[in-house]
Amino acid sequence: MATRSCRGSCGTRSCSGGCFMLIASILVLSVLSPARTQDFGYDGAKGPSHWGEQYNSCTGKHQSPININSLDVKKVNLPPLVFQGFDVAPKETNLTNNGHTVFVTMDSEVTPTVSGGPLNGVYEYSQLHFHWGDNDTFGSEDMIDNHRFPMELHIVFFKQDYQNARTALNYPDGLTVLAFFFEIAPDDNPMYGEFIELLGNVTESHLSARFDVPPSLKELIADDLLHYYTYDGSLTTPPCSEVVTWIDFKEPILLSHAQVQAFRALKDEDGHPLTHNFRPVQPLGDRVVLFNTDEMIKQVDLDADVPPEVGEGVDTNKLDTPAKSDAGSLPAKDPSSRKHPRNGATVPVASRWSLLTAAMVLLVPLMFYSTIAKC
């Protein structure tokens, strides 16, 4: 792993720690968007419904965020996610208000990376930022079963093969975002103590503040990193490039109402309160959302005429290979056509014909003997 990695706009594997601070101060969302900060907003003529007028990708078919229907997801057993450097505290961490959100960049001896799961390759930390609403009933971008959370954390990584985040925008697997939802708790979250205090120093747009005790990424996220939804999507701000593998973790992070309220005190570029900065959900289209679980995945083919042979057990490491169960290796079905167990199961067409055939076999001899008896 590179030491004091500064891949990004510096374009080199190693440079001074000031590289990260430079990115924080002059680029929107840390090189994820070439747009000038005044080119988009969340209201009026600059709002999400107008983004497509300047950025064609914002009208694409695989946009984010989405509403995830937990009954329509496809359950899978993916390889474990591998987190490197998440437990290492950075040497220096800056918090910046860029007029659209508050985001965090860091200078660290060990740059955090993530791999495994649905990812093909190693992805390197770029920045993290937040989305929130003007009250505790909404604010997240992705939704689960039509439910919005009061806030959402996005930790953005770029694929190391592409050297930096800007170059990664040119590849369909260029970025991954680890997304965490927030729920309201009665007590403050001590892990976010200094974070919330620093928000008071960056109320105005384009102000930055430095952490006295920089937190590690592990301290800012949820504990359960096994259960998550994943799908292919886009950036949720212009240019809306469809290059993101989204990983939405099921377990929320807990913050108090007062802690979330501190984000709503920030101001945008026009000096107005930054009370909401989330994009509306986009159509799912032809995409399938996967849900990673530790359950054994078993699929029963109700249309089979004969019982399948005994198989080898569940293969938990191959996404593209149909899962094997105690009933054998069977092709996966479209989750949208699968009837949920709570609603009961319907008798398949093939089974109905089998029953009709059996009935005819019994009835025909009876009718024959009845006719002979009458004669």
Side-chain angles (χ1 to χ4, degrees), residues 72-91:
D72 288 340
V73 300
K74 179 179 179 181
K75 290 186 177 182
V76 292
N77 298 131
L78 296 173
L81 286 168
V82 179
F83 304 93
Q84 297 287 345
F86 274 57
D87 57 348
V88 179
K91 294 193 309 178

Side-chain angles (χ1 to χ4, degrees), residues 74 76-79 117 314-324:
K74 179 179 179 181
V76 292
N77 298 131
L78 296 173
V314 177
D315 183 351
T316 62
N317 295 315
K318 295 181 180 179
L319 176 59
D320 298 328
T321 302
K324 297 179 181 178

Side-chain angles (χ1 to χ4, degrees), residues 124-151:
E124 183 173 315
Y125 176 84
S126 175
Q127 49 92 352
L128 66 82
H129 62 270
F130 299 82
H131 298 270
W132 60 87
D134 59 14
N135 63 64
D136 294 343
T137 63
F138 58 87
S140 66
E141 296 207 298
D142 277 335
M143 301 170 66
I144 307 295
D145 295 327
N146 295 307
H147 171 69
R148 280 197 188 275
F149 299 82
M151 195 163 73

Side-chain angles (χ1 to χ4, degrees), residues 76-84 113-122 178 224-228 247 249 292-294 315-319:
V76 292
N77 298 131
L78 296 173
L81 286 168
V82 179
F83 304 93
Q84 297 287 345
T113 64
V114 60
S115 58
L119 304 175
N120 181 18
V122 178
L178 306 185
D224 181 4
L225 302 177
L226 172 64
H227 300 91
Y228 58 82
I247 300 177
F249 292 92
N292 190 61
T293 176
D294 53 349
D315 183 351
T316 62
N317 295 315
K318 295 181 180 179
L319 176 59

Side-chain angles (χ1 to χ4, degrees), residues 96-109:
T96 301
N97 174 359
N98 69 355
H100 297 298
T101 184
V102 59
F103 68 100
V104 172
T105 53
M106 62 180 62
D107 175 22
S108 180
E109 293 287 352

Side-chain angles (χ1 to χ4, degrees), residues 280-321:
V281 293
Q282 306 296 304
L284 179 62
D286 59 358
R287 291 174 288 179
V288 175
V289 179
L290 306 180
F291 177 66
N292 190 61
T293 176
D294 53 349
E295 299 174 6
M296 299 295 282
I297 307 301
K298 295 184 178 181
Q299 298 177 12
V300 178
D301 188 353
L302 298 178
D303 297 340
D305 292 331
V306 295
E309 297 179 359
V310 176
E312 302 175 356
V314 177
D315 183 351
T316 62
N317 295 315
K318 295 181 180 179
L319 176 59
D320 298 328
T321 302

